[in-house]
Amino acid sequence: MTSSNNSEFELIKRYFTQLGAQRTDLLLGVGDDCALVTVEPDYCLAISTDLLVEGVHFFADTPAHDLGHKALAVNLSDLAAMGATPAWFTLALTLPSINSVWLQAFSQGLEQLAVQFNVQLIGGDLARGPLNIAIGVHGFVPKGQALLRSGLQVGDKIFVTGQLGGAAYALSRLLVKQAVPPNLLQKLHCPWPRVREGQALLGIAHAAIDISDGLAGDLAHMLNQSGVGACLQAAALPIPDPIKQALGDEAAIELALTGGDDYELCFAVKPSKLPQLHALALDCCCIGTVEPGLGLRLQYQDGSVNTVISQAYQHFSGESDIDK
Amino acid sequence: MTSSNNSEFELIKRYFTQLGAQRTDLLLGVGDDCALVTVEPDYCLAISTDLLVEGVHFFADTPAHDLGHKALAVNLSDLAAMGATPAWFTLALTLPSINSVWLQAFSQGLEQLAVQFNVQLIGGDLARGPLNIAIGVHGFVPKGQALLRSGLQVGDKIFVTGQLGGAAYALSRLLVKQAVPPNLLQKLHCPWPRVREGQALLGIAHAAIDISDGLAGDLAHMLNQSGVGACLQAAALPIPDPIKQALGDEAAIELALTGGDDYELCFAVKPSKLPQLHALALDCCCIGTVEPGLGLRLQYQDGSVNTVISQAYQHFSGESDIDK
């Protein structure tokens, strides 16, 4: 039931036949029934897929360039959370109409990020319909070294990269038509996947997750899968100053714990590996410790402790992803 | 901006955590940031993605079981066209609402076909929005043996599996609310991917494509990519008798050439390999020959020849896929 015309096919060919890095492990790219790739024997392949749907994950007026960037970034973030090195991606795109200006900007957003991370478009599909972007990513990780969610051990120090709450704060401001500081708008529209940090953590961290649905919910996944609990230090949560100033400490902490779309990494390191971590000089900070008692607790500077999450993930979260 | 509640997460977990075959080459499945898989050293990996969008690829009232089947089948058909052995798939699903009856039927449609072809669901994403199903498939093919579109050589005999026009005929009847013979409705709603035929053809055929957009258009891709032409025998086109009886020979031939959604394979075999092909006793028939002059021609029983397609694909077709 699909229909299109000649110029559409030409546009698609122009924007999507050759996109991203030029990889030598790609034997056959866009233009056949499948792509053909090779995987080195000492590596396993990490595979993930993430959707962006208009009205659910982004506003209808989001610039096409940012959408291209973000659609790939949120997928690369999943590779980052395994410590994997990105390689290839596929694109299944549903568009209400063919608009060459939109397609050019969208493909440029994809292209710029793809080149940054040496990842190549290897295939896809396009249909008419409400705007919907499904990307599948593939990357390499040395066998036995991937950073799993289930690897937490009592005594581990818990870290996050970057800062928390920026994307959620930007979204909350956009929803009420208020101005947003440019660096926080950037966090929402053009998140930078922590691929290099994830790769650097191989052999140092032994568990990681990307914080796409908020620190508390995503960390709870790890706690749940590892059968442990954790205590976080409220004062240690890295929150941008403009958010603290605008919301006050308590609401800023709440946002840092629950706000989604940050695409930072949360990871765990044994105390014995801390010197190696510090030597990396990554943009990260320690926010707490893994403990034997189940659940997630938050300790304030006055010594008081609040329970954030009392038990396993599925009893409190708004998660809807089947791969998270 | 995603939102959902606890019971939704439970439903998703119930239907999609464990779906399809249980494969030993899957190191880590649904439930982490990525799946982890291994690829044998003598094989390359074939990767493809195909969309099904409501109102574009299927009617809103199509049974969920059939949609689950078809969404996976059209992807497996791309693997079949390379001669690849299916291994894993991902699912990016956008649904207007969470409906456990629909989800159960949909996942059963996926499950039944996945088990048939020893393929396992390894990850995915779910969001609210207009119904949109994007599957990504992965399969193995021995290095250097994949069936490419570009492999046609002058003198090759051209074959198709099964019969042509059934799905397009069923669709044409449904569009005017007419009854459809059950076997033709099956072709439209539950196509059977020619995976086993594709695998059997490795080393015998040297080019193949899946006919998802109609024989003429898809064969033209092969001719174009191989720099050759072809002549088909009108009388040799395998068309179901009920279609010939309903439409007459001329319109039935037109439908067999242009009707989409058949998901049969079109492949080419050197004359010297014909004995090996016949020994396989596949459900296929010879429909023509590769010739030096560009374009696609159709020869009738009286000896007259019509040009079906005079040059490269993009000048006549309604194709909109970027991987085809």
Side-chain angles (χ1 to χ4, degrees), chain A residues 1-2 4 6 9-10 12 30-37 44-48 50-51 56-58 78 94 124-126 128 132 138 149 210 225 314 317-323, chain B residues 1-2 4 6 10 12 30-37 44-48 50-51 56-58 78 94 124-126 128 132 138 149 210 225 314 317-323:
Chain A
M1 287 189 257
T2 324
S4 64
N6 305 340
F9 182 75
E10 287 299 323
I12 292 155
V30 171
D32 211 304
D33 294 279
C34 293
L36 294 175
V37 299
C44 58
L45 198 60
I47 302 175
S48 186
D50 265 334
L51 276 168
V56 178
H57 301 99
F58 60 89
D78 283 318
T94 309
D125 197 6
L126 186 98
R128 281 184 193 275
N132 188 304
H138 304 78
R149 294 180 176 183
D210 86 318
Q225 291 186 27
Q314 59 268 33
S317 167
E319 170 69 59
S320 69
D321 289 0
I322 60 173
D323 70 340
Chain B
M1 288 189 257
T2 324
S4 64
N6 306 339
E10 287 299 322
I12 293 155
V30 172
D32 211 305
D33 293 279
C34 294
L36 294 175
V37 300
C44 57
L45 197 60
I47 301 175
S48 186
D50 265 333
L51 278 166
V56 179
H57 302 99
F58 59 89
D78 283 319
T94 308
D125 198 5
L126 185 99
R128 280 183 192 275
N132 188 305
H138 304 79
R149 294 179 176 185
D210 86 318
Q225 292 185 26
Q314 59 269 33
S317 168
E319 170 69 60
S320 70
D321 288 359
I322 61 174
D323 71 339

Coordinates of all heavy atoms in Angstrom, one line a residue, chain A residues 1-2 4 6 9-10 12 30-37 44-48 50-51 56-58 78 94 124-126 128 132 138 149 210 225 314 317-323, chain B residues 1-2 4 6 10 12 30-37 44-48 50-51 56-58 78 94 124-126 128 132 138 149 210 225 314 317-323:
Chain A
M1 N 0.8 -1.2 0.0 CA 0.0 0.0 0.0 C 0.9 1.3 0.0 O 0.3 2.4 0.0 CB -0.9 0.0 1.2 CG -2.0 -1.0 1.1 SD -3.2 -0.8 2.5 CE -2.7 -2.2 3.5
T2 N 2.2 1.1 0.0 CA 3.1 2.2 0.0 C 3.0 3.0 -1.3 O 2.8 2.4 -2.3 CB 4.5 1.8 0.1 OG1 4.6 0.7 1.0 CG2 5.4 2.9 0.7
S4 N 4.8 6.4 -3.5 CA 5.8 7.5 -3.5 C 6.0 7.8 -5.0 O 5.5 7.2 -5.9 CB 7.1 7.2 -2.8 OG 7.7 6.1 -3.5
N6 N 9.0 9.4 -8.1 CA 10.4 9.3 -8.5 C 11.3 10.2 -7.7 O 12.4 9.9 -7.2 CB 10.6 9.6 -10.0 CG 9.7 8.7 -10.8 OD1 9.3 7.6 -10.3 ND2 9.4 9.1 -12.0
F9 N 12.2 9.0 -4.2 CA 13.3 8.0 -4.2 C 14.6 8.7 -4.4 O 15.6 8.3 -3.8 CB 13.0 7.0 -5.3 CG 14.0 5.9 -5.4 CD1 14.0 4.9 -4.4 CD2 15.0 5.9 -6.3 CE1 14.9 3.9 -4.4 CE2 16.0 4.8 -6.3 CZ 15.9 3.9 -5.4
E10 N 14.7 9.6 -5.3 CA 16.0 10.4 -5.5 C 16.4 11.1 -4.3 O 17.6 11.1 -3.9 CB 15.8 11.4 -6.7 CG 15.7 10.7 -8.0 CD 17.0 9.9 -8.4 OE1 18.1 10.4 -8.0 OE2 16.8 8.9 -9.0
I12 N 15.7 10.3 -1.1 CA 16.2 9.4 -0.1 C 17.5 8.9 -0.5 O 18.4 8.8 0.4 CB 15.1 8.2 -0.1 CG1 13.8 8.7 0.5 CG2 15.7 7.0 0.7 CD1 12.6 7.9 0.1
V30 N 24.0 0.1 2.2 CA 22.7 0.5 1.7 C 22.6 0.1 0.2 O 23.5 0.4 -0.6 CB 22.4 2.0 1.9 CG1 21.1 2.4 1.2 CG2 22.4 2.3 3.4
G31 N 21.5 -0.6 -0.2 CA 21.2 -0.9 -1.6 C 21.0 -2.3 -1.9 O 20.8 -2.6 -3.1
D32 N 21.1 -3.2 -0.9 CA 20.7 -4.6 -1.2 C 19.6 -5.0 -0.2 O 19.1 -4.2 0.5 CB 21.9 -5.5 -1.1 CG 21.8 -6.7 -2.1 OD1 20.8 -7.5 -2.0 OD2 22.7 -6.9 -2.9
D33 N 19.2 -6.3 -0.2 CA 18.2 -6.7 0.8 C 18.7 -6.6 2.2 O 17.9 -6.3 3.1 CB 17.8 -8.1 0.5 CG 17.1 -8.2 -0.8 OD1 15.9 -7.9 -0.9 OD2 17.7 -8.6 -1.8
C34 N 20.0 -6.8 2.5 CA 20.6 -6.7 3.8 C 21.9 -6.0 3.6 O 22.5 -6.0 2.5 CB 20.8 -8.0 4.4 SG 19.4 -9.0 4.8
A35 N 22.5 -5.4 4.7 CA 23.9 -5.1 4.8 C 24.6 -6.3 5.2 O 24.1 -7.2 5.9 CB 24.1 -4.0 5.8
L36 N 25.9 -6.4 4.9 CA 26.8 -7.5 5.3 C 28.0 -6.9 6.1 O 28.7 -6.0 5.5 CB 27.3 -8.3 4.1 CG 26.2 -9.1 3.4 CD1 26.9 -9.7 2.2 CD2 25.6 -10.1 4.3
V37 N 28.2 -7.3 7.3 CA 29.3 -6.8 8.1 C 30.1 -7.9 8.7 O 29.6 -9.1 8.7 CB 28.7 -5.9 9.3 CG1 27.9 -4.7 8.7 CG2 27.9 -6.8 10.2
C44 N 32.4 -9.4 21.0 CA 31.0 -9.6 20.8 C 30.3 -8.4 20.3 O 30.9 -7.3 20.4 CB 30.3 -10.3 22.0 SG 30.3 -9.4 23.5
L45 N 29.1 -8.6 19.8 CA 28.4 -7.4 19.2 C 27.3 -7.0 20.2 O 26.6 -7.8 20.7 CB 27.8 -7.9 17.9 CG 27.3 -6.9 16.9 CD1 28.5 -6.0 16.4 CD2 26.7 -7.6 15.7
A46 N 27.3 -5.7 20.4 CA 26.2 -5.1 21.3 C 25.2 -4.5 20.3 O 25.6 -3.8 19.4 CB 26.8 -4.0 22.2
I47 N 23.9 -4.8 20.6 CA 22.8 -4.4 19.7 C 21.7 -3.7 20.5 O 21.3 -4.3 21.6 CB 22.3 -5.6 18.9 CG1 23.4 -6.3 18.1 CG2 21.1 -5.1 18.0 CD1 22.9 -7.5 17.4
S48 N 21.2 -2.6 20.1 CA 20.1 -1.9 20.8 C 19.3 -1.2 19.8 O 19.7 -0.9 18.7 CB 20.7 -1.0 21.8 OG 19.6 -0.5 22.6
D50 N 16.2 2.2 19.8 CA 15.5 3.2 20.5 C 14.7 4.0 19.5 O 15.1 4.3 18.4 CB 16.4 4.1 21.3 CG 16.6 3.7 22.7 OD1 15.7 3.0 23.3 OD2 17.6 4.0 23.3
L51 N 13.5 4.4 20.0 CA 12.5 5.1 19.2 C 12.5 6.6 19.6 O 12.6 6.9 20.8 CB 11.1 4.6 19.6 CG 10.5 3.4 18.9 CD1 9.3 3.0 19.7 CD2 10.2 3.8 17.5
V56 N 5.6 12.4 21.8 CA 6.0 11.6 23.0 C 7.4 11.9 23.5 O 7.6 12.3 24.6 CB 5.9 10.1 22.6 CG1 6.2 9.2 23.8 CG2 4.5 9.8 22.2
H57 N 8.3 11.9 22.5 CA 9.7 12.1 22.9 C 10.2 13.5 22.5 O 11.2 14.0 22.9 CB 10.6 11.1 22.2 CG 10.3 9.7 22.6 ND1 9.6 8.9 21.8 CD2 10.6 9.0 23.7 CE1 9.5 7.7 22.4 NE2 10.1 7.7 23.5
F58 N 9.4 14.2 21.6 CA 9.9 15.5 21.2 C 8.7 16.3 20.7 O 7.6 15.8 20.3 CB 10.9 15.5 20.1 CG 10.5 14.8 18.8 CD1 9.9 15.4 17.8 CD2 10.7 13.4 18.7 CE1 9.5 14.8 16.6 CE2 10.3 12.7 17.5 CZ 9.7 13.4 16.5
D78 N 23.2 3.9 24.6 CA 23.0 2.5 25.0 C 24.3 1.7 24.8 O 24.7 0.9 25.6 CB 21.8 1.8 24.3 CG 20.5 2.3 24.9 OD1 20.4 2.4 26.1 OD2 19.6 2.5 24.1
T94 N 9.4 7.0 9.6 CA 8.1 7.3 9.1 C 7.9 8.8 9.1 O 8.1 9.4 10.1 CB 7.0 6.6 10.0 OG1 7.4 5.2 10.2 CG2 5.7 6.6 9.4
G124 N 18.0 0.7 6.0 CA 16.8 1.3 6.6 C 15.6 1.1 5.8 O 15.5 0.3 4.8
D125 N 14.5 1.8 6.2 CA 13.3 1.7 5.6 C 12.6 3.1 5.8 O 12.8 3.7 6.8 CB 12.4 0.6 6.2 CG 11.3 0.2 5.3 OD1 11.1 0.7 4.2 OD2 10.5 -0.7 5.8
L126 N 11.7 3.4 4.8 CA 11.0 4.7 4.9 C 9.6 4.5 4.5 O 9.3 3.8 3.6 CB 11.7 5.7 3.9 CG 11.1 7.1 4.1 CD1 12.0 8.0 5.0 CD2 10.9 7.8 2.7
R128 N 5.4 6.6 4.7 CA 4.6 7.7 5.1 C 3.8 7.4 6.3 O 3.3 6.3 6.5 CB 3.6 8.0 4.0 CG 4.2 8.7 2.8 CD 3.1 9.0 1.8 NE 3.6 9.4 0.5 CZ 4.0 10.7 0.2 NH1 3.8 11.6 1.2 NH2 4.5 11.0 -0.9
N132 N 8.1 9.3 13.1 CA 8.5 8.2 14.0 C 9.9 7.8 13.6 O 10.1 7.5 12.4 CB 7.5 7.1 13.9 CG 7.7 5.9 14.9 OD1 8.8 5.4 15.0 ND2 6.7 5.6 15.6
H138 N 24.7 -0.9 16.5 CA 25.6 -2.1 16.6 C 27.0 -1.6 17.0 O 27.5 -0.7 16.4 CB 25.7 -2.9 15.3 CG 24.3 -3.3 14.8 ND1 23.5 -2.4 14.1 CD2 23.7 -4.4 14.9 CE1 22.4 -3.0 13.8 NE2 22.4 -4.3 14.2
R149 N 24.3 -4.3 33.8 CA 23.5 -3.7 34.9 C 23.6 -4.5 36.1 O 23.4 -4.0 37.2 CB 22.0 -3.6 34.5 CG 21.8 -2.6 33.3 CD 20.3 -2.6 33.0 NE 20.1 -1.6 31.9 CZ 18.9 -1.3 31.5 NH1 17.8 -1.9 31.9 NH2 18.8 -0.3 30.5
D210 N 22.8 3.7 31.2 CA 22.6 5.1 30.8 C 21.4 5.6 31.5 O 20.3 5.0 31.6 CB 22.6 5.3 29.3 CG 21.3 5.1 28.6 OD1 20.6 4.1 29.0 OD2 21.0 5.8 27.7
Q225 N 18.6 -5.8 39.6 CA 19.2 -6.9 38.8 C 20.5 -7.4 39.6 O 20.9 -8.5 39.3 CB 19.6 -6.4 37.4 CG 18.4 -6.2 36.5 CD 18.7 -5.8 35.1 OE1 19.7 -6.3 34.6 NE2 17.8 -5.1 34.4
Q314 N 9.9 -2.4 39.3 CA 8.6 -2.4 38.6 C 7.4 -1.9 39.4 O 6.4 -1.6 38.9 CB 8.2 -3.7 37.9 CG 8.1 -4.9 38.9 CD 9.4 -5.6 39.0 OE1 10.5 -5.0 38.9 NE2 9.4 -6.9 39.2
S317 N 8.1 2.5 39.0 CA 8.6 3.3 37.9 C 7.6 3.6 36.8 O 6.6 2.8 36.6 CB 9.8 2.7 37.3 OG 10.2 3.3 36.1
G318 N 7.9 4.6 36.0 CA 7.1 4.9 34.8 C 7.7 4.4 33.5 O 7.3 4.8 32.4
E319 N 8.6 3.5 33.7 CA 9.4 2.9 32.5 C 8.5 2.2 31.5 O 7.5 1.5 31.9 CB 10.4 1.9 33.1 CG 11.1 1.1 32.0 CD 12.0 1.9 31.3 OE1 12.9 2.5 31.9 OE2 11.9 2.0 30.0
S320 N 8.8 2.4 30.2 CA 8.0 1.7 29.3 C 8.9 1.0 28.2 O 8.3 0.5 27.2 CB 7.0 2.6 28.6 OG 7.7 3.6 27.8
D321 N 10.2 1.0 28.4 CA 11.0 0.4 27.4 C 11.2 -1.1 27.7 O 11.4 -1.4 28.8 CB 12.4 1.0 27.4 CG 12.4 2.4 26.8 OD1 11.3 2.9 26.4 OD2 13.4 3.1 26.7
I322 N 11.2 -1.9 26.7 CA 11.4 -3.3 26.9 C 12.8 -3.7 27.0 O 13.2 -4.8 27.4 CB 10.6 -4.2 25.9 CG1 11.1 -4.0 24.5 CG2 9.2 -4.0 26.0 CD1 10.5 -4.9 23.5
D323 N 13.7 -2.8 26.6 CA 15.2 -3.1 26.7 C 15.8 -2.4 27.9 O 17.0 -2.4 27.9 CB 15.9 -2.8 25.4 CG 16.0 -1.3 25.2 OD1 15.2 -0.5 25.8 OD2 16.9 -0.9 24.4
Chain B
M1 N 9.5 12.5 27.9 CA 8.0 12.8 27.8 C 7.2 11.6 27.8 O 6.0 11.6 27.8 CB 7.7 13.6 26.5 CG 8.2 15.1 26.7 SD 7.7 16.1 25.3 CE 9.1 16.2 24.3
T2 N 7.8 10.4 27.8 CA 7.1 9.1 27.8 C 6.4 9.0 29.2 O 6.8 9.4 30.2 CB 8.1 8.0 27.7 OG1 9.2 8.4 26.9 CG2 7.4 6.7 27.2
S4 N 3.8 6.0 31.3 CA 3.2 4.7 31.4 C 3.0 4.3 32.8 O 3.4 5.1 33.7 CB 4.0 3.6 30.7 OG 5.2 3.4 31.4
N6 N 2.6 1.1 36.0 CA 3.2 -0.2 36.4 C 2.6 -1.4 35.6 O 3.4 -2.3 35.2 CB 3.0 -0.4 37.9 CG 3.4 0.8 38.7 OD1 4.3 1.6 38.2 ND2 3.0 0.9 39.9
E10 N 4.5 -4.3 33.3 CA 4.3 -5.8 33.6 C 3.9 -6.5 32.3 O 4.3 -7.6 32.0 CB 3.3 -6.0 34.7 CG 3.8 -5.6 36.1 CD 5.0 -6.5 36.5 OE1 5.0 -7.7 36.2 OE2 6.0 -5.9 37.1
I12 N 4.4 -5.6 29.2 CA 5.5 -5.6 28.2 C 6.5 -6.7 28.6 O 6.9 -7.5 27.8 CB 6.2 -4.3 28.2 CG1 5.2 -3.3 27.6 CG2 7.5 -4.3 27.4 CD1 5.5 -1.9 28.0
V30 N 17.1 -9.4 26.3 CA 16.3 -8.3 26.8 C 16.6 -8.0 28.3 O 16.6 -8.9 29.1 CB 14.8 -8.6 26.6 CG1 13.9 -7.6 27.2 CG2 14.5 -8.8 25.1
G31 N 16.8 -6.7 28.6 CA 16.9 -6.4 30.0 C 18.1 -5.6 30.4 O 18.3 -5.2 31.5
D32 N 19.0 -5.3 29.4 CA 20.1 -4.4 29.7 C 20.1 -3.3 28.7 O 19.2 -3.2 27.9 CB 21.5 -5.2 29.7 CG 22.5 -4.6 30.6 OD1 22.8 -3.5 30.5 OD2 23.0 -5.4 31.5
D33 N 21.2 -2.5 28.7 CA 21.2 -1.4 27.7 C 21.3 -1.9 26.3 O 20.7 -1.3 25.3 CB 22.3 -0.4 28.0 CG 22.1 0.3 29.3 OD1 21.4 1.3 29.3 OD2 22.7 -0.1 30.3
C34 N 22.0 -3.0 26.1 CA 22.2 -3.6 24.8 C 22.1 -5.1 25.0 O 22.3 -5.6 26.1 CB 23.5 -3.4 24.2 SG 23.9 -1.6 23.7
A35 N 21.8 -5.8 23.9 CA 22.0 -7.3 23.8 C 23.4 -7.5 23.4 O 24.1 -6.7 22.8 CB 21.0 -7.9 22.8
L36 N 24.0 -8.7 23.8 CA 25.3 -9.1 23.4 C 25.2 -10.4 22.7 O 24.7 -11.4 23.2 CB 26.2 -9.2 24.6 CG 26.6 -7.9 25.4 CD1 27.4 -8.2 26.7 CD2 27.3 -6.9 24.5
V37 N 25.8 -10.5 21.5 CA 25.8 -11.7 20.7 C 27.1 -12.0 20.2 O 28.0 -11.1 20.1 CB 24.8 -11.5 19.5 CG1 23.4 -11.2 20.0 CG2 25.2 -10.4 18.5
C44 N 29.7 -13.8 7.9 CA 29.4 -12.4 8.2 C 28.0 -12.3 8.6 O 27.2 -13.2 8.5 CB 29.8 -11.5 7.0 SG 29.0 -12.0 5.4
L45 N 27.7 -11.1 9.1 CA 26.4 -10.8 9.6 C 25.5 -10.1 8.6 O 26.0 -9.0 8.1 CB 26.5 -10.0 10.9 CG 25.4 -10.0 11.9 CD1 25.0 -11.4 12.4 CD2 25.7 -9.1 13.1
A46 N 24.3 -10.5 8.3 CA 23.4 -9.8 7.4 C 22.4 -9.1 8.3 O 21.9 -9.6 9.3 CB 22.7 -10.8 6.5
I47 N 22.2 -7.8 8.1 CA 21.4 -6.9 8.9 C 20.4 -6.2 8.0 O 20.8 -5.6 7.0 CB 22.3 -5.9 9.7 CG1 23.3 -6.6 10.6 CG2 21.4 -5.0 10.5 CD1 24.3 -5.7 11.3
S48 N 19.1 -6.1 8.4 CA 18.1 -5.4 7.7 C 17.1 -4.8 8.6 O 16.9 -5.3 9.8 CB 17.5 -6.2 6.6 OG 16.6 -5.5 5.8
D50 N 12.8 -3.4 8.5 CA 11.6 -3.0 7.7 C 10.5 -2.6 8.6 O 10.3 -3.1 9.7 CB 11.1 -4.3 6.9 CG 11.7 -4.3 5.5 OD1 12.0 -3.2 5.0 OD2 11.8 -5.4 4.9
L51 N 9.7 -1.6 8.2 CA 8.6 -1.0 8.9 C 7.3 -1.6 8.4 O 7.1 -1.8 7.2 CB 8.5 0.5 8.5 CG 9.4 1.5 9.2 CD1 9.4 2.7 8.4 CD2 8.9 1.7 10.6
V56 N -0.7 2.4 5.9 CA 0.2 2.4 4.8 C 0.5 1.0 4.3 O 0.3 0.6 3.2 CB 1.6 3.1 5.2 CG1 2.6 3.1 4.0 CG2 1.3 4.5 5.6
H57 N 0.9 0.2 5.3 CA 1.2 -1.2 5.0 C 0.1 -2.2 5.4 O 0.1 -3.4 5.0 CB 2.5 -1.7 5.7 CG 3.7 -0.9 5.3 ND1 4.1 0.1 6.1 CD2 4.5 -0.9 4.3 CE1 5.2 0.7 5.6 NE2 5.4 0.1 4.5
F58 N -0.8 -1.8 6.2 CA -1.9 -2.7 6.6 C -3.1 -1.8 7.0 O -3.0 -0.7 7.4 CB -1.5 -3.6 7.7 CG -1.0 -2.9 9.0 CD1 -1.9 -2.6 10.0 CD2 0.3 -2.6 9.2 CE1 -1.5 -1.9 11.1 CE2 0.7 -1.9 10.3 CZ -0.2 -1.6 11.3
D78 N 14.0 -10.5 3.8 CA 15.3 -9.8 3.4 C 16.5 -10.7 3.7 O 17.4 -10.7 2.9 CB 15.4 -8.5 4.1 CG 14.5 -7.4 3.5 OD1 14.4 -7.4 2.3 OD2 13.9 -6.6 4.3
T94 N 5.4 1.3 18.4 CA 4.7 2.4 18.8 C 3.2 2.0 18.8 O 2.7 1.6 17.7 CB 4.9 3.6 17.9 OG1 6.3 3.8 17.8 CG2 4.3 4.9 18.5
G124 N 14.4 -4.1 22.4 CA 13.4 -3.3 21.7 C 13.1 -2.0 22.5 O 13.8 -1.7 23.5
D125 N 12.1 -1.4 22.0 CA 11.6 -0.1 22.6 C 10.1 0.0 22.4 O 9.6 -0.5 21.4 CB 12.4 1.1 22.0 CG 12.3 2.3 22.8 OD1 11.8 2.3 24.0 OD2 12.8 3.4 22.4
L126 N 9.5 0.6 23.3 CA 8.0 0.8 23.1 C 7.6 2.2 23.5 O 8.2 2.8 24.4 CB 7.3 -0.2 24.1 CG 5.8 -0.2 23.9 CD1 5.3 -1.4 23.1 CD2 5.1 -0.2 25.3
R128 N 4.1 5.2 23.1 CA 2.8 5.5 22.7 C 2.7 6.3 21.5 O 3.6 7.3 21.3 CB 2.1 6.4 23.8 CG 1.6 5.6 25.0 CD 0.9 6.5 25.9 NE 0.7 5.8 27.2 CZ -0.4 5.0 27.4 NH1 -1.3 4.8 26.5 NH2 -0.5 4.5 28.6
N132 N 2.9 1.6 14.7 CA 4.1 1.6 13.9 C 5.0 0.5 14.4 O 5.3 0.4 15.6 CB 4.7 2.9 14.0 CG 5.9 3.2 13.0 OD1 6.8 2.4 13.0 ND2 5.8 4.3 12.3
H138 N 18.8 -9.9 12.1 CA 20.2 -10.3 12.0 C 20.3 -11.7 11.7 O 19.6 -12.5 12.3 CB 20.9 -10.0 13.3 CG 20.8 -8.6 13.8 ND1 19.7 -8.2 14.4 CD2 21.6 -7.5 13.7 CE1 19.8 -6.9 14.7 NE2 21.0 -6.5 14.3
R149 N 22.3 -8.6 -5.2 CA 21.5 -8.1 -6.3 C 22.3 -7.9 -7.5 O 21.8 -8.0 -8.7 CB 20.8 -6.8 -5.9 CG 19.8 -6.9 -4.8 CD 19.2 -5.6 -4.5 NE 18.1 -5.7 -3.5 CZ 17.4 -4.7 -3.1 NH1 17.5 -3.5 -3.6 NH2 16.4 -4.9 -2.2
D210 N 14.3 -10.2 -2.8 CA 12.9 -10.6 -2.4 C 11.9 -9.7 -3.1 O 12.2 -8.5 -3.3 CB 12.7 -10.7 -0.9 CG 12.3 -9.3 -0.3 OD1 12.9 -8.3 -0.6 OD2 11.5 -9.3 0.6
Q225 N 21.6 -2.9 -11.1 CA 22.9 -3.0 -10.3 C 23.9 -4.0 -11.0 O 25.0 -3.9 -10.7 CB 22.5 -3.5 -8.9 CG 21.8 -2.5 -8.1 CD 21.6 -2.9 -6.6 OE1 22.4 -3.7 -6.1 NE2 20.6 -2.3 -6.0
Q314 N 14.8 3.9 -10.9 CA 14.2 5.0 -10.3 C 13.3 5.9 -11.2 O 12.7 6.8 -10.8 CB 15.2 5.9 -9.6 CG 16.3 6.4 -10.5 CD 17.5 5.5 -10.6 OE1 17.3 4.2 -10.5 NE2 18.7 6.0 -10.7
S317 N 9.5 3.6 -10.9 CA 8.9 2.9 -9.8 C 8.3 3.7 -8.7 O 8.7 4.9 -8.5 CB 10.0 1.9 -9.2 OG 9.5 1.4 -8.0
G318 N 7.5 3.1 -7.9 CA 6.9 3.7 -6.7 C 7.7 3.3 -5.5 O 7.2 3.5 -4.4
E319 N 8.9 2.8 -5.6 CA 9.7 2.4 -4.4 C 9.9 3.5 -3.5 O 10.2 4.6 -3.8 CB 11.0 1.9 -5.0 CG 12.0 1.6 -4.0 CD 11.7 0.4 -3.1 OE1 11.5 -0.7 -3.7 OE2 11.5 0.6 -1.9
S320 N 9.9 3.2 -2.2 CA 10.2 4.2 -1.2 C 11.2 3.7 -0.1 O 11.4 4.4 0.8 CB 9.0 4.8 -0.5 OG 8.4 3.8 0.3
D321 N 11.7 2.5 -0.2 CA 12.6 2.0 0.8 C 14.0 2.4 0.5 O 14.4 2.3 -0.7 CB 12.5 0.5 0.8 CG 11.2 0.0 1.4 OD1 10.3 0.9 1.8 OD2 11.0 -1.2 1.5
I322 N 14.8 2.7 1.5 CA 16.1 3.1 1.3 C 17.0 1.8 1.3 O 18.2 1.9 0.9 CB 16.7 4.1 2.3 CG1 16.6 3.6 3.7 CG2 15.9 5.4 2.1 CD1 17.3 4.5 4.7
D323 N 16.5 0.7 1.7 CA 17.4 -0.5 1.6 C 17.0 -1.4 0.5 O 17.5 -2.6 0.5 CB 17.3 -1.3 2.9 CG 16.0 -2.0 3.2 OD1 15.0 -1.6 2.5 OD2 16.0 -2.9 4.0

